[in-house]
Amino acid sequence: MASTWVQSPRFAVAAPAKRGDNTLMAAPIVHAGLEVLYTRDQIARRVAEMGEEISRDFAGQKVVLVGVLKGATIFLADLARCISLDATFDFLSTSSYGKGHQQSGEVKLLKDVDHSVEGQNIILVEDILDTGLTLTYLRRVLSAHQPKSLKIAALLDKPARRIQKIEGDYIGFTIPNKFVVGYGLDYAERYRNLPDICVIPPSALGDE
Ligand code: IMP
Ligand code: MG
């Protein structure tokens, strides 16, 4: 569906087109022929289930959603709106794979949380649990802040690639050993804005 452009005094914004079910949908984005692994509707349904589960588990309590920049931002934004609890946000950042899909194996903290998480219920929100190096490291960093509880919510889990023995508490989808992009996940910083989760074929993965 075509979107209309609305002029505001300082910038032009694309007004999202409306879908039949009355939910807002962004203007269509070119997927460049990538195979879709999970559609936006499948993701939305699963994220809603995850939010309900978290809301049940922490009924009557407050939670702090700690997102791992940048991949978890879209997942966190959607998950947060499916959680019916008193919730606040914070963000962490680690050194990443580099520009492409290669991994150095070393994780460094680039940005710590802004607020003390001592005595709080922390839900560490990550896009994907792959080798497990990042979340093992971040779990240690956050545990040092002595939270009341610490859980991991990851949209995707790729257990075939695990190096560190770690499991998520809330997992959206368990996927095969494929490199995926979209819904926040990138390849060399691209594709984060794809609404669906898509697969990058191995032949297209360079050595960046
Ligand atoms: P780890 O290997 O579990 O430490 O994963 C760390 C990070 O690697 C994730 O937060 C993602 O940013 C990135 N990553 C791992 N697998 C993929 C993938 O299939 N697509 C995009 N990013 C990935
Ligand atoms: Mg990430």
Side-chain angles (χ1 to χ4, degrees):
M1 205 185 293
S3 63
T4 50
W5 287 85
V6 181
Q7 287 296 334
S8 84
R10 291 181 53 215
F11 48 82
V13 286
K18 275 205 160 186
R19 239 184 343 196
D21 62 5
N22 228 18
T23 54
L24 291 173
M25 186 177 67
I29 294 169
V30 177
H31 283 64
L34 298 176
E35 175 201 342
V36 175
L37 190 59
Y38 293 106
T39 66
R40 64 202 80 181
D41 290 341
Q42 289 173 312
I43 299 166
R45 278 196 294 274
R46 186 67 193 116
V47 171
E49 288 171 357
M50 295 173 82
E52 284 165 19
E53 198 182 339
I54 291 169
S55 304
R56 271 196 308 274
D57 290 354
F58 290 91
Q61 302 181 64
K62 293 181 184 175
V63 293
V64 185
L65 303 178
V66 178
V68 185
L69 295 171
K70 304 167 205 166
T73 50
I74 294 178
F75 173 44
L76 186 145
D78 284 348
L79 180 67
R81 286 174 288 178
C82 297
I83 292 177
S84 52
L85 302 170
D86 190 341
T88 55
F89 298 173
D90 213 324
F91 292 94
L92 285 165
S93 177
T94 60
S95 53
S96 67
Y97 274 19
K99 279 195 264 166
H101 71 295
Q102 299 292 348
Q103 183 189 22
S104 69
E106 196 189 353
V107 184
K108 285 191 194 139
L109 191 66
L110 298 181
K111 182 206 168 298
D112 204 344
V113 285
D114 293 332
H115 303 286
S116 167
V117 295
E118 192 181 333
Q120 315 265 354
N121 294 311
I122 305 303
I123 299 176
L124 187 50
V125 182
E126 176 61 310
D127 51 4
I128 185 165
L129 190 45
D130 187 33
T131 62
L133 293 168
T134 305
L135 284 177
T136 300
Y137 172 79
L138 288 178
R139 196 169 57 175
R140 204 171 59 236
V141 167
L142 286 173
S143 296
H145 291 278
Q146 297 183 309
K148 180 179 173 194
S149 65
L150 178 53
K151 302 282 184 195
I152 290 172
L155 178 70
L156 303 174
D157 186 7
K158 219 193 277 182
R161 296 239 320 152
R162 201 74 93 248
I163 292 173
Q164 286 281 350
K165 196 175 178 305
I166 183 168
E167 282 179 23
D169 301 285
Y170 306 98
I171 296 292
F173 303 100
T174 300
I175 66 166
N177 187 9
K178 294 183 174 190
F179 196 85
V180 292
V181 293
Y183 198 73
L185 291 130
D186 74 306
Y187 173 51
E189 294 298 328
R190 292 181 61 207
Y191 305 112
R192 292 193 196 275
N193 61 327
L194 295 184
D196 307 311
I197 294 172
C198 302
V199 178
I200 300 277
S203 59
L205 294 169
D207 289 321
E208 295 175 79

